[in-house]
Amino acid sequence: MKKQCDPLVLTDEDILDAMQAMQGYVDITPGTFKEIYSISYDLALKRIRSLGKAEEIMTAPVHCLNKEMSLTEAASFMAEHGISGAPVVDGKGLVCGVISEKDFLRKMGLPTTAGIMSVVGECLTVNKCLVSGLRGHYVHEIMSQPPISAREETTLAEISQLFTNHSINRIPICNMDGSPLGIITRSDLVSSMCQTV
């Protein structure tokens, strides 16, 4: 059975309410139902763990930014490639950070959940546009570091856990020396899970 801190843990009241909501006669006790649920949950976990590995769903090659790029160059690069985040590499080509729209928003003093209309709204209500404050700054100043990365053989269940544990939306996939091989986003992971259901 899942940990009690999990909000999705079924309570006896949940089970009784569900049984009462079912049409017809239900000849099962809450204890038996919980046992069935526990076994089903374990089987679902095993299924998720067997989904595959990072190398099977990663996008490769991956667009990377250099840590010495200006934020102006970085924003243009990301817009040109239609991406909202990317690994950052150092002078040796090794992943040393990750940058995303959230990092730009944080630098502008906005919540990381802000959308484009929040930025426009802020710029229109203050005398100085918040975006202009990004000029003269560089990727290495705002990137998230150290990077959370994974290897090609990392399982998708482990990737999912990394997303959850670190509240991130993308993970660079690197080789042993830290060179970027690809990237997996949350949407890549969700798509792969939907395809296997």
Side-chain angles (χ1 to χ4, degrees), residues 120-137:
V120 171
E122 285 288 329
C123 288
L124 293 176
T125 55
V126 296
N127 292 330
K128 181 180 176 185
C129 183
L130 298 174
V131 177
S132 64
L134 299 177
R135 290 191 187 110
H137 290 279

Side-chain angles (χ1 to χ4, degrees), residues 22-105:
M22 294 176 68
Q23 298 294 321
Y25 178 71
V26 179
D27 188 16
I28 188 170
T29 66
T32 302
F33 181 86
K34 285 178 94 170
E35 186 176 345
I36 292 170
Y37 174 82
S38 178
I39 293 169
S40 301
Y41 184 81
D42 289 342
L43 290 173
L45 280 179
K46 286 179 185 174
R47 187 179 67 249
I48 290 172
R49 289 180 179 134
S50 67
L51 284 177
K53 297 182 178 177
E55 63 188 344
E56 297 168 25
I57 70 164
M58 69 180 186
T59 299
V62 57
H63 298 296
C64 295
L65 300 172
N66 187 288
K67 72 174 191 175
E68 300 303 331
M69 290 176 78
S70 71
L71 294 185
T72 304
E73 293 171 321
S76 297
F77 182 89
M78 291 165 68
E80 178 184 334
H81 291 89
I83 55 177
S84 59
V88 177
V89 295
D90 61 17
K92 297 178 181 175
L94 305 180
V95 174
C96 60
V98 174
I99 194 167
S100 71
E101 291 174 344
K102 287 182 179 179
D103 298 307
F104 282 84
L105 292 167

Side-chain angles (χ1 to χ4, degrees), residues 49 51-58 149-162 171-174 184 189:
R49 289 180 179 134
L51 284 177
K53 297 182 178 177
E55 63 188 344
E56 297 168 25
I57 70 164
M58 69 180 186
S149 63
R151 303 276 305 279
E152 288 176 292
E153 61 271 19
T154 303
T155 67
L156 297 185
E158 291 169 328
I159 296 285
S160 176
Q161 197 64 52
L162 287 170
I171 293 180
I173 306 303
C174 302
I184 294 177
L189 187 63

